Amino acid sequence: MQTDSNTKTDLTFEDFKSEVLNDYKIAVTSRECSLLGRREVLTGKAKFGIFGDGKEIPQLAWAKVFKNGDFRSGYYRDQTFMMAIGQLTIEQFFAGLYANTDISLEPMSAGRQMGGHFGTHSLDENGDWKNLTEQKNSSADISPTAGQMPRLLGLAQASKIYRNVEGIDTTNFSKKGNEIAWGTIGNASTSEGLFFETINAAGVLQVPMVINIWDDEYGISVHAKYQTTKENISEILKGLQRDEDNKGYEILKVKGWDYPALIETFQKAEYFARKEHVPVMLHVVELTQPQGHSTSGSHERYKSKERLEWEQEFDCISQMQKWMISNNIATQDDLNALNKTIKKNVRDGKKAAWSSYLEPIKSEQQEASILLTALADTSSNKVFINKIINQLKGIDEPARRDIASSIRKALRYVISEDSIEKDHIQTWINAYMETVQPKYSSHLHSTSKRAATNIEEVLPTYDSNAEQVDGRLVLRENFDAIFGNYPEALVFGEDVGNIGDVNQGLEGLQEKYGELRVADAGIREATILGQGIGMAMRGLRPIAEIQYLDYILYALQIMSDDLATLHYRTKGKQKAPLIVRTRGHRLEGIWHSGSQLGGIINLIRGIHVLVPRNMTKAAGFYNTLLESDEPALIIECLNGYRLKETLPNNIGEFRTPIGVVETVKEGTDITLVSYGSTLRIVEQVAKELIEVGIDAEVIDIQSLLPFDINHDIVKSVTKTNRLMVIDEDVPGGASAYILNEIINTQNAFQYLDCQPKTLAAQSHRPAYGTDGDYFSKPSAEDIFEAVYDVMHETSPIDYPKLR
């Protein structure tokens, strides 16, 4: 059903007629899917529906100029486009609505996202890149409004990099940078800051990006007069229009029901973006939304009678019908007959999708019922189990929840009984859970051979007369090696380029590798992240620098909703191995204290969080990640750039393992666990504790996500029988997470002789100055006294009260 983007100059009228009729079929098919999809939600077969009705005709025009290699970064109204490029069938549309977990039947997300969220497969079964230049690509959608915009910027910037940077193997990713990144957004969502941040950044970077704004004048129930100044986004942004003297945008505007004008306008947009490599804003106005925003309510509640009448008349499909009839492409009878056939095709596709979804579950329901019946026949609680069986059998359209719940409840009635039937059903439910749970939980991280935890450690090596240098120089030399060894690697962020970052870890590298590979960026953290996500999705190896850990908060939504979920929400069919570089820990002041880890690690599951104690460890993490295919956040110690480290002789080659702790001092009395800058204070205190007869074992966590995959900390606790976690985050922040991992995941509680302790910072952000740091975060004296108090509780005679 794909559109035919026929551009032959000798196109006959019959060819033209055939193409128009094919477009009309796609539009009506999409509309019928929306109408029937809403009914499926209202009857309870699907949980929620959000559809693309009213946007069909402009999406057909868009599909005609969307070429192999191009990327879409859109939102949940683009179903007609996906059908038009041959990436969404009727059956797949309904499989998404029903949340079918079979990715061969529901290729967008295997049921992990609600219908209307679209993506194509960038990876093969082994997690390796497919040839993206030979297919039409859609980055996986997210629901948060305007959240698709930062990623769009990076998808477009990748074309600029591929066109202008030499030495990159572009085989699977680009043909001379000719690809366009196309975005879509609703007019109401243009009020979001992410929209404005992205629009400004794309204008500065001059990348081949087209943003399609679908304008139906409403954001759910709120009219544009409450959303946008002058009720017109292209009008208020017309200052971005480029001219002979200034770079900027090409801004186009077209009515969304005018089929020939839409085709002409999209062709213009493609020319400017593909040939001239400039951003384009395409404002599609006078669109409608026939069913309202979603299945949550009706638009009759907030639209006037006059508006509803106008929408009926200027519905884009209705207007296309009138145009086709007036231009002798079809008669009304022709269209009526065609509509009838399409309705039947959609109904048949819906039935097939429902059957494909339900039949495996009904088979599981029958199997469970047989096992339950056998269990009931041998149980003294037969009457109660039979009630469960009858309830399960009585469900005409079961869910897997019903099956699992029935079995698990039945087992409660045979707790004290022994039988072969009980053994069978226990075995069955355990196997069932092991089989079913991954359908909803797998692929948070890479399962390929390049998963980060598969990359083996390579220790740094040193010459006998190795030089002692500032830590920043270890980083600089390592980045130099990275850019020399990986032509596809690049770094960008605030103050990264000209001055080589605020701590000179990239000193001189822009001059050596050029402004595209070592680049300054504006103060716009969310789109710095977006640049990285988009470029990583197209095969580049970006390092996005956020100047301080505190500033991650500006980009946290993008990290959490987009980057962290990408591999999961596509069930391993897309990846973005982005490295996010930042610095934090122990600097004075509320806004540069770097103490948000408790929040960060719980909001970005799916991204590795690495906390090296020095720059050699940090450099090793960069080297490891560039061999990996997963995203990570690396937090360098802000007060470590000028501390002396020994310069390794295998720069660019040594690797710090991910998920592995390091015992930096062995001891017998208590296990002290920390990371980053605080770890260095703990090391100092451990030496002081020796003076009072306390031999502490000190462990550097190094990696918060994943955490101690070898369970080395519990091995330490079995020896010392005491545990303290020291952290500079707020109480209950990262320290609570660390303690939970050690006590509950590693089961260290059984080896403890006393209560495990946490020592965190104060509940507030650190006050400014040296004294502010001392009285806000754990000091050496705080740590010493806390450890001493543990030993005092254990043996008051050997360790008299200190104060």
Side-chain angles (χ1 to χ4, degrees):
M1 198 187 288
Q2 186 170 339
T3 58
D4 180 10
S5 53
N6 199 329
T7 56
K8 294 187 296 184
T9 55
D10 58 346
L11 187 71
T12 67
F13 180 74
E14 287 303 314
D15 290 334
F16 173 69
K17 177 180 176 180
S18 176
E19 184 175 334
V20 173
L21 283 170
N22 185 61
D23 282 351
Y24 179 78
K25 290 176 186 176
I26 297 171
V28 176
T29 298
S30 179
R31 177 65 63 86
E32 290 299 321
C33 283
S34 295
L35 296 173
L36 189 52
R38 182 180 179 88
R39 287 197 285 272
E40 290 298 278
V41 174
L42 297 180
T43 59
K45 285 185 177 179
K47 298 288 287 185
F48 182 77
I50 193 160
F51 307 109
D53 46 304
K55 317 296 188 294
E56 293 92 351
I57 305 307
Q59 290 182 26
L60 293 171
W62 171 25
K64 291 179 182 299
V65 293
F66 193 90
K67 300 292 193 295
N68 284 349
D70 285 359
F71 263 85
R72 166 190 169 274
S73 181
Y75 83 133
Y76 39 75
R77 302 291 185 198
D78 294 343
Q79 70 196 46
T80 308
F81 170 78
M82 294 299 290
M83 290 179 172
I85 64 170
Q87 294 296 325
L88 182 67
T89 66
I90 296 169
E91 289 84 355
Q92 289 167 347
F93 172 89
F94 285 102
L97 196 65
Y98 302 141
N100 195 320
T101 59
D102 186 339
I103 199 162
S104 68
L105 299 174
E106 202 286 270
M108 302 303 150
S109 73
R112 295 180 177 194
Q113 296 211 87
M114 68 179 73
H117 293 72
F118 307 112
T120 53
H121 294 183
S122 300
L123 308 178
D124 63 20
E125 295 304 313
N126 297 317
D128 296 323
W129 292 108
K130 298 169 68 176
N131 191 328
L132 304 184
T133 69
E134 295 179 350
Q135 64 181 43
K136 294 177 171 64
N137 304 286
S138 174
S139 60
D141 293 340
I142 58 175
S143 290
T145 54
Q148 72 274 26
M149 292 294 293
R151 179 199 334 136
L152 172 65
L153 178 66
L155 292 168
Q157 189 180 3
S159 290
K160 183 173 183 178
I161 298 298
Y162 282 127
R163 178 171 288 190
N164 295 288
V165 175
E166 297 181 356
I168 304 175
D169 182 0
T170 64
T171 304
N172 288 329
F173 306 111
S174 182
K175 292 184 176 179
K176 299 180 180 179
N178 289 330
E179 302 80 20
I180 297 173
W182 301 81
T184 62
I185 192 169
N187 62 298
S189 295
T190 64
S191 300
E192 295 274 15
L194 292 176
F195 172 81
F196 283 96
E197 189 172 319
T198 303
I199 290 296
N200 177 61
V204 171
L205 291 170
Q206 288 292 288
V207 292
M209 177 186 101
V210 180
I211 179 65
N212 305 321
I213 303 170
W214 307 143
D215 192 346
D216 57 27
E217 294 191 18
Y218 284 85
I220 309 183
S221 67
V222 180
H223 191 267
K225 64 184 177 182
Y226 302 110
Q227 304 269 6
T228 309
T229 303
K230 298 184 178 181
E231 301 180 30
N232 191 324
I233 189 65
S234 60
E235 174 67 19
I236 64 174
L237 293 179
K238 65 182 180 182
L240 297 173
Q241 175 66 52
R242 62 179 183 153
D243 54 39
E244 292 181 0
D245 300 319
N246 298 286
K247 295 178 180 178
Y249 275 76
E250 199 60 46
I251 300 177
L252 306 172
K253 190 174 182 178
V254 63
K255 292 177 181 178
W257 47 264
D258 191 336
Y259 176 71
L262 283 162
I263 293 173
E264 180 183 1
T265 305
F266 271 94
Q267 288 173 341
K268 288 181 181 178
E270 182 202 19
Y271 174 83
F272 292 129
R274 202 179 305 279
K275 301 300 181 183
E276 300 186 22
H277 250 221
V278 298
V280 180
M281 185 184 304
L282 206 166
H283 189 189
V284 183
V285 299
E286 296 190 18
L287 286 169
T288 66
Q289 202 156 271
Q291 298 188 114
H293 176 262
S294 69
T295 53
S296 293
S298 171
H299 62 157
E300 284 85 358
R301 293 184 300 162
Y302 51 84
K303 290 178 182 175
S304 67
K305 177 182 177 183
E306 292 75 20
R307 172 69 191 189
L308 291 169
E309 289 173 350
W310 180 89
E311 288 196 9
Q312 186 171 4
E313 180 181 356
F314 283 90
D315 177 273
C316 61
I317 294 179
S318 175
Q319 287 292 316
M320 185 178 182
Q321 288 178 343
K322 293 176 183 177
W323 177 83
M324 292 169 69
I325 293 169
S326 65
N327 285 275
N328 298 317
I329 293 170
T331 66
Q332 187 65 62
D333 288 342
D334 293 334
L335 297 179
N336 289 341
L338 189 56
N339 292 347
K340 185 176 181 180
T341 300
I342 292 171
K343 284 178 182 287
K344 182 180 184 305
N345 290 340
V346 172
R347 286 196 301 270
D348 290 345
K350 186 266 295 184
K351 291 177 182 176
W354 180 246
S355 177
S356 296
Y357 166 75
L358 191 61
E359 288 309 312
I361 302 177
K362 288 184 76 69
S363 177
E364 295 163 13
Q365 177 194 35
Q366 183 178 11
E367 190 175 351
S369 297
I370 292 170
L371 288 166
L372 284 169
T373 300
L375 180 70
D377 288 343
T378 62
S379 174
S380 59
N381 287 309
K382 180 176 181 177
V383 63
F384 300 106
I385 298 174
N386 277 338
K387 183 177 180 181
I388 293 174
I389 295 169
N390 292 333
Q391 289 174 338
L392 179 60
K393 287 182 175 180
I395 303 173
D396 293 331
E397 296 171 348
R400 289 194 168 98
R401 175 187 65 182
D402 301 317
I403 298 166
S405 176
S406 298
I407 296 284
R408 296 165 81 178
K409 286 180 178 178
L411 282 171
R412 299 175 190 175
Y413 290 108
V414 293
I415 290 174
S416 302
E417 299 178 10
D418 292 315
S419 67
I420 294 175
E421 290 75 15
K422 177 182 176 181
D423 293 341
H424 286 168
I425 207 165
Q426 286 175 327
T427 301
W428 189 90
I429 188 60
N430 290 337
Y432 187 72
M433 295 300 289
E434 288 179 10
T435 300
V436 169
Q437 187 67 51
K439 295 179 184 293
Y440 308 95
S441 303
S442 69
H443 292 86
L444 180 62
H445 294 287
S446 172
T447 59
S448 79
K449 61 181 182 295
R450 297 186 65 194
T453 52
N454 290 340
I455 309 302
E456 294 185 2
E457 179 179 17
V458 176
L459 292 170
T461 57
Y462 302 93
D463 294 330
S464 58
N465 59 346
E467 185 181 0
Q468 292 287 305
V469 299
D470 288 348
R472 72 173 186 90
L473 294 177
V474 177
L475 275 179
R476 187 192 69 182
E477 296 305 304
N478 199 73
F479 280 129
D480 191 4
I482 284 172
F483 297 132
N485 294 333
Y486 297 88
E488 67 275 22
L490 62 158
V491 64
F492 46 91
E494 297 158 14
D495 300 301
V496 159
N498 185 39
I499 67 170
D501 87 42
V502 290
N503 296 102
Q504 272 76 69
L506 295 160
E507 182 185 24
L509 298 187
Q510 184 182 76
E511 184 178 356
K512 184 172 182 178
Y513 294 102
E515 293 186 3
L516 287 177
R517 294 191 66 197
V518 183
D520 285 311
I523 301 176
R524 46 175 183 79
E525 287 78 12
T527 45
I528 289 173
L529 251 296
Q531 286 176 253
I533 296 171
M535 286 193 280
M537 293 184 76
R538 291 191 58 192
L540 295 170
R541 293 311 307 263
I543 302 171
E545 177 168 319
I546 303 298
Q547 198 163 84
Y548 298 110
L549 181 62
D550 302 75
Y551 302 170
I552 285 283
L553 298 183
Y554 288 95
L556 193 55
Q557 187 253 316
I558 299 304
M559 291 182 72
S560 179
D561 291 333
D562 197 353
L563 180 60
T565 68
L566 177 63
H567 198 258
Y568 167 77
R569 73 178 189 268
T570 61
K571 202 174 183 180
K573 294 304 181 182
Q574 292 187 5
K575 64 182 176 182
L578 168 63
I579 301 173
V580 183
R581 180 194 184 206
T582 191
R583 50 191 66 82
H585 311 306
R586 308 304 301 202
L587 185 70
E588 294 81 1
I590 291 175
W591 313 121
H592 299 82
S593 56
S595 299
Q596 303 85 27
L597 279 166
I600 290 170
I601 60 179
N602 287 298
L603 288 169
I604 64 171
R605 300 297 173 92
I607 301 174
H608 296 315
V609 177
L610 311 176
V611 283
R613 69 179 181 272
N614 58 39
M615 301 310 156
T616 302
K617 290 287 185 180
F621 276 137
Y622 289 110
N623 298 337
T624 297
L625 289 167
L626 285 165
E627 292 296 309
S628 167
D629 61 359
E630 295 191 81
L633 169 66
I634 298 179
I635 306 167
E636 298 166 9
C637 292
L638 188 49
N639 59 6
Y641 294 104
R642 303 293 172 177
L643 297 180
K644 297 299 181 184
E645 298 184 33
T646 305
L647 184 65
N649 61 16
N650 58 341
I651 286 286
E653 299 174 4
F654 60 88
R655 300 171 189 159
T656 308
I658 288 175
V660 178
V661 303
E662 181 181 354
T663 300
V664 297
K665 178 193 173 299
E666 294 190 353
T668 57
D669 292 330
I670 188 170
T671 299
L672 305 181
V673 178
S674 192
Y675 61 88
S677 294
T678 302
L679 190 281
R680 294 200 298 267
I681 301 176
V682 174
E683 286 186 278
Q684 170 197 331
V685 171
K687 296 175 183 178
E688 298 171 358
L689 287 167
I690 291 290
E691 298 173 4
V692 294
I694 301 173
D695 187 12
E697 184 145 296
V698 179
I699 296 179
D700 182 6
I701 293 169
Q702 300 195 105
S703 173
L704 286 167
L705 293 175
F707 185 88
D708 189 13
I709 59 177
N710 297 324
H711 289 195
D712 288 324
I713 295 177
V714 71
K715 296 171 188 174
S716 172
V717 174
T718 62
K719 177 175 59 175
T720 66
N721 308 118
R722 301 177 186 89
L723 172 67
M724 180 175 292
V725 175
I726 301 107
D727 173 56
E728 62 174 33
D729 198 3
V730 297
S735 59
Y737 159 77
I738 295 166
L739 191 63
N740 178 70
E741 287 292 314
I742 299 170
I743 298 300
N744 292 326
T745 302
Q746 299 188 12
N747 294 320
F749 67 91
Q750 60 188 315
Y751 304 109
L752 291 170
D753 290 341
C754 60
Q755 177 186 347
K757 298 284 188 178
T758 60
L759 178 61
Q762 298 297 316
S763 297
H764 52 75
R765 294 285 187 93
Y768 173 65
T770 301
D771 284 345
D773 177 76
Y774 184 86
F775 290 101
S776 299
K777 292 187 174 183
S779 66
E781 288 70 37
D782 292 332
I783 298 168
F784 184 99
E785 291 177 1
V787 174
Y788 188 89
D789 283 348
V790 170
M791 301 307 293
H792 168 71
E793 292 174 11
T794 303
S795 180
I797 295 175
D798 293 331
Y799 303 99
K801 187 173 179 65
L802 189 61
R803 70 179 178 92

